[in-house]
Short mmCIF file of all heavy atoms in Angstrom, two decimals:
data_model
loop_
_atom_site.label_atom_id
_atom_site.label_comp_id
_atom_site.label_asym_id
_atom_site.label_seq_id
_atom_site.Cartn_x
_atom_site.Cartn_y
_atom_site.Cartn_z
N GLN A 168 79.00 -4.75 -33.49
CA GLN A 168 77.92 -4.49 -32.49
C GLN A 168 76.37 -4.29 -33.14
O GLN A 168 75.57 -4.06 -32.42
CB GLN A 168 78.31 -3.17 -31.77
CG GLN A 168 79.60 -3.30 -31.02
CD GLN A 168 79.48 -3.48 -29.63
OE1 GLN A 168 78.58 -3.18 -28.91
NE2 GLN A 168 80.51 -4.22 -28.99
N THR A 189 74.58 -0.53 -27.37
CA THR A 189 74.70 -1.95 -27.78
C THR A 189 75.20 -2.71 -26.64
O THR A 189 75.27 -3.98 -26.78
CB THR A 189 75.63 -2.01 -28.99
OG1 THR A 189 76.96 -1.43 -28.64
CG2 THR A 189 75.08 -1.37 -30.16
N HIS A 190 75.66 -2.10 -25.60
CA HIS A 190 76.11 -2.80 -24.50
C HIS A 190 76.04 -1.95 -23.15
O HIS A 190 75.69 -0.72 -23.34
CB HIS A 190 77.61 -3.25 -24.63
CG HIS A 190 78.55 -2.30 -25.15
ND1 HIS A 190 79.94 -2.58 -25.41
CD2 HIS A 190 78.41 -0.97 -25.53
CE1 HIS A 190 80.57 -1.47 -25.84
NE2 HIS A 190 79.62 -0.57 -25.95
N SER A 192 78.60 -1.25 -21.40
CA SER A 192 79.83 -0.61 -21.08
C SER A 192 79.86 0.85 -21.05
O SER A 192 80.63 1.50 -20.35
CB SER A 192 80.95 -1.03 -22.12
OG SER A 192 80.90 -2.58 -22.04
N GLN A 195 80.38 2.52 -17.80
CA GLN A 195 81.59 2.56 -17.15
C GLN A 195 82.16 4.00 -17.24
O GLN A 195 82.64 4.63 -16.32
CB GLN A 195 82.64 1.65 -18.00
CG GLN A 195 82.45 0.21 -17.86
CD GLN A 195 83.73 -0.58 -18.58
OE1 GLN A 195 84.76 -0.07 -18.58
NE2 GLN A 195 83.41 -1.78 -19.09
N ARG A 216 70.32 -4.50 -30.13
CA ARG A 216 71.33 -4.79 -31.43
C ARG A 216 70.40 -5.07 -32.54
O ARG A 216 69.43 -5.76 -32.38
CB ARG A 216 72.32 -5.84 -31.11
CG ARG A 216 73.32 -5.32 -30.10
CD ARG A 216 74.57 -6.26 -30.14
NE ARG A 216 75.45 -5.91 -28.97
CZ ARG A 216 76.45 -6.62 -28.52
NH1 ARG A 216 76.93 -7.73 -29.30
NH2 ARG A 216 77.06 -6.23 -27.49
N GLN A 230 72.03 -6.83 -20.17
CA GLN A 230 73.50 -7.17 -19.76
C GLN A 230 73.67 -6.77 -18.32
O GLN A 230 72.93 -5.92 -17.78
CB GLN A 230 74.43 -6.41 -20.57
CG GLN A 230 74.56 -7.03 -22.02
CD GLN A 230 75.79 -6.35 -22.78
OE1 GLN A 230 76.21 -5.27 -22.40
NE2 GLN A 230 76.12 -7.15 -23.80
N GLU A 232 77.03 -5.32 -16.45
CA GLU A 232 78.42 -4.95 -16.59
C GLU A 232 79.10 -4.86 -15.16
O GLU A 232 78.34 -4.62 -14.25
CB GLU A 232 78.41 -3.50 -17.11
CG GLU A 232 79.66 -2.91 -17.51
CD GLU A 232 80.03 -3.37 -19.00
OE1 GLU A 232 79.17 -3.93 -19.72
OE2 GLU A 232 81.15 -3.03 -19.38
N PHE A 270 88.38 -7.06 -27.00
CA PHE A 270 87.49 -5.97 -26.94
C PHE A 270 88.36 -4.68 -26.93
O PHE A 270 89.40 -4.67 -26.40
CB PHE A 270 86.68 -5.93 -25.61
CG PHE A 270 85.70 -7.21 -25.47
CD1 PHE A 270 86.29 -8.16 -24.68
CD2 PHE A 270 84.59 -7.39 -26.20
CE1 PHE A 270 85.56 -9.52 -24.45
CE2 PHE A 270 83.90 -8.56 -25.91
CZ PHE A 270 84.36 -9.53 -25.12
N PHE A 272 88.10 -2.00 -25.46
CA PHE A 272 88.22 -1.25 -24.15
C PHE A 272 88.83 -2.11 -23.01
O PHE A 272 88.98 -1.58 -21.97
CB PHE A 272 86.82 -0.80 -23.74
CG PHE A 272 85.68 -1.83 -24.02
CD1 PHE A 272 85.26 -2.65 -23.00
CD2 PHE A 272 85.15 -1.84 -25.17
CE1 PHE A 272 84.23 -3.59 -23.29
CE2 PHE A 272 84.10 -2.75 -25.49
CZ PHE A 272 83.82 -3.60 -24.50
N THR A 273 89.37 -3.35 -23.35
CA THR A 273 90.11 -4.08 -22.35
C THR A 273 91.31 -4.62 -22.98
O THR A 273 91.30 -4.94 -24.19
CB THR A 273 89.13 -5.28 -21.69
OG1 THR A 273 88.64 -5.91 -22.71
CG2 THR A 273 88.27 -4.60 -20.76
N GLY A 312 82.18 -11.69 -21.40
CA GLY A 312 83.55 -11.14 -21.85
C GLY A 312 84.15 -10.29 -20.78
O GLY A 312 83.37 -9.63 -20.00
N CYS A 313 85.45 -10.17 -20.70
CA CYS A 313 85.98 -9.51 -19.66
C CYS A 313 87.47 -9.02 -20.02
O CYS A 313 87.92 -9.41 -21.05
CB CYS A 313 86.11 -10.35 -18.32
SG CYS A 313 86.97 -11.89 -18.63
N GLY A 314 88.14 -8.30 -19.09
CA GLY A 314 89.45 -8.00 -19.31
C GLY A 314 89.96 -6.97 -18.50
O GLY A 314 89.14 -6.43 -17.59
N ALA A 338 87.12 -5.21 -16.01
CA ALA A 338 85.67 -5.15 -16.41
C ALA A 338 85.10 -6.30 -16.86
O ALA A 338 86.02 -7.17 -17.42
CB ALA A 338 85.50 -3.91 -17.39
N PHE A 339 83.84 -6.48 -16.88
CA PHE A 339 83.25 -7.63 -17.47
C PHE A 339 81.86 -7.34 -17.91
O PHE A 339 81.19 -6.31 -17.32
CB PHE A 339 83.27 -8.89 -16.55
CG PHE A 339 82.60 -8.61 -15.24
CD1 PHE A 339 81.18 -8.88 -15.12
CD2 PHE A 339 83.33 -8.18 -14.09
CE1 PHE A 339 80.58 -8.60 -13.85
CE2 PHE A 339 82.65 -7.96 -12.92
CZ PHE A 339 81.21 -8.07 -12.73
N GLY A 340 81.26 -8.09 -18.77
CA GLY A 340 79.92 -7.88 -19.26
C GLY A 340 79.27 -9.25 -19.61
O GLY A 340 79.85 -9.96 -20.32
N1 LIG B 1 80.51 -4.97 -23.71
C1 LIG B 1 81.04 -6.26 -24.11
C2 LIG B 1 79.98 -6.92 -24.96
O1 LIG B 1 78.84 -6.40 -25.02
C3 LIG B 1 81.28 -7.09 -23.04
C4 LIG B 1 82.42 -6.64 -22.17
C5 LIG B 1 82.21 -5.93 -21.17
C6 LIG B 1 83.71 -7.15 -22.42
C7 LIG B 1 83.24 -5.40 -20.22
C8 LIG B 1 84.78 -6.78 -21.69
C9 LIG B 1 84.61 -5.97 -20.57
O2 LIG B 1 80.17 -7.81 -25.76
#
Side-chain angles (χ1 to χ4, degrees):
Q168 302 261 330
T189 56
H190 49 177
S192 304
Q195 289 188 29
R216 289 194 195 176
Q230 288 191 337
E232 189 86 8
F270 300 100
F272 39 94
T273 47
C313 58
F339 57 88

